[in-house]
Amino acid sequence: MRASVNRPPTPDVGDTQEKQPTLEEIINIKFIESGEKERLMELLRERLIECGWKDEMKALCRAFVKKKGRNNVTVDDLVHLITPKGRASIPDSIKAELLQRIRTFLVSAAL
Amino acid sequence: MGSHAQLSSQFFGDLLDSIIVDVASECHRIARLGLDRNLEEEEEELRLSAQARVRVADPSNSGEANSKYVVDIFGQTHPPVANEIFDCMNCGRSIMAGRFAPHLEKCMGKGRKARLKVTRSSTAVQNRYSQGSPVSTYSPYSNSTSTSRLSNGTSSGAGEEYSNGTFQEP
């Protein structure tokens, strides 16, 4: 047979370095593919609006914008501004509800 | 922490971070597009109050006696006597607003001289009371035309006065 037919496949640069997907990545993919991630996002968004969390964050942003001038503000500024307070001020009940649903999904997906 | 709990927590944290970025992005957009009306109004208020402070501090503005026309906080001036003109709903004359109270005194019969006057308006007043319905004198809704009717003196038939359809027999 001719040598060209048996030529080994072109080595793909990525192939040699590719790892197995991490557990987190697998979970993420399962969440996304099943649509559960989107449902959970919407649920969390809704809860955070209901309890006034979003309004608090918007107020923080407004105060910052007023101080700095509305054309001198970047998205990054605002993200760094509200992240610590935002993470800390999630009501326990909402956090519990979401964690419960996530755990349920993990179990049902046999992860 | 069990691995499930840890994974859950981590996943929750990711959801939260996404939402935080969304909120920040929304606020950024509102700020840059100037959609936050309150912000502009506050800036305008601050500017106006700073101006007002300057005016107040200025010694040449002190006291109403100094100038005939005083400037209020909106920058408007008002003449000492209100000079809007309108028609008296009792006698139909054209009256200057600032002279309306003394006019009404005479017109509606407080003074000795006024009671002696027999005008079309006083007959209109008598007719009004004789119809006996309290609604006709006080309610703005049941006879919206009655006040303007008096000005031409004809207290026309009850059917016309109650233009909203409630027909009252005198």
Side-chain angles (χ1 to χ4, degrees), chain B residues 94-116:
Chain B
S94 285
I95 308 293
M96 204 169 83
R99 299 288 318 159
F100 187 52
H103 162 78
L104 261 193
E105 280 185 334
K106 297 194 198 72
C107 175
M108 295 187 77
K110 159 213 141 196
R112 180 177 60 90
K113 282 200 169 182
R115 262 192 231 114
L116 299 175

Side-chain angles (χ1 to χ4, degrees), chain A residues 24 27-28 31 41 44-45 54 58 61-62 66 70-71 73-75 78-79 82-83 87 90 98-99 102-103 106 111, chain B residues 4 7-12 15-28 30-34 36 39 42:
Chain A
E24 287 155 32
I27 290 173
N28 205 22
F31 264 106
M41 275 273 258
L44 183 55
R45 240 190 274 268
K54 185 174 178 184
K58 286 181 81 167
C61 292
R62 260 202 302 271
K66 197 156 114 179
R70 66 179 181 87
N71 285 317
V73 175
T74 65
V75 178
L78 295 177
V79 169
I82 63 176
T83 293
R87 282 190 183 152
I90 303 286
L98 267 292
L99 286 176
I102 294 170
R103 270 199 296 267
L106 288 177
L111 289 166
Chain B
H4 263 199
L7 289 169
S8 304
S9 245
Q10 193 161 356
F11 195 75
F12 176 77
L15 290 178
L16 188 54
D17 285 341
S18 292
I19 291 180
I20 285 176
V21 169
D22 284 348
V23 173
S25 176
E26 190 180 321
C27 291
H28 177 262
I30 290 173
R32 292 300 299 254
L33 294 180
D36 189 355
L39 207 66
E42 281 172 31

Side-chain angles (χ1 to χ4, degrees), chain B residues 71-133:
Chain B
V71 181
D72 71 13
I73 59 169
F74 297 106
Q76 298 170 332
T77 59
H78 302 277
V81 178
N83 56 9
E84 243 189 57
I85 295 184
F86 66 100
D87 293 339
C88 168
M89 54 286 289
N90 200 32
C91 67
R93 303 233 290 272
S94 285
I95 308 293
M96 204 169 83
R99 299 288 318 159
F100 187 52
H103 162 78
L104 261 193
E105 280 185 334
K106 297 194 198 72
C107 175
M108 295 187 77
K110 159 213 141 196
R112 180 177 60 90
K113 282 200 169 182
R115 262 192 231 114
L116 299 175
K117 280 196 298 185
V118 178
T119 57
R120 304 173 302 178
S121 62
S122 40
T123 46
V125 167
Q126 287 169 18
N127 281 346
R128 210 175 351 143
Y129 287 137
S130 72
Q131 270 160 18
S133 161

Side-chain angles (χ1 to χ4, degrees), chain A residues 44-91:
Chain A
L44 183 55
R45 240 190 274 268
E46 197 180 308
R47 292 281 180 267
L48 292 178
I49 289 173
E50 284 168 358
C51 73
W53 177 93
K54 185 174 178 184
D55 290 332
E56 280 174 36
M57 298 302 115
K58 286 181 81 167
L60 284 177
C61 292
R62 260 202 302 271
F64 182 84
V65 166
K66 197 156 114 179
K67 204 174 59 177
K68 242 196 153 194
R70 66 179 181 87
N71 285 317
N72 303 334
V73 175
T74 65
V75 178
D76 231 35
D77 288 341
L78 295 177
V79 169
H80 286 119
L81 176 73
I82 63 176
T83 293
K85 181 87 196 285
R87 282 190 183 152
S89 63
I90 303 286

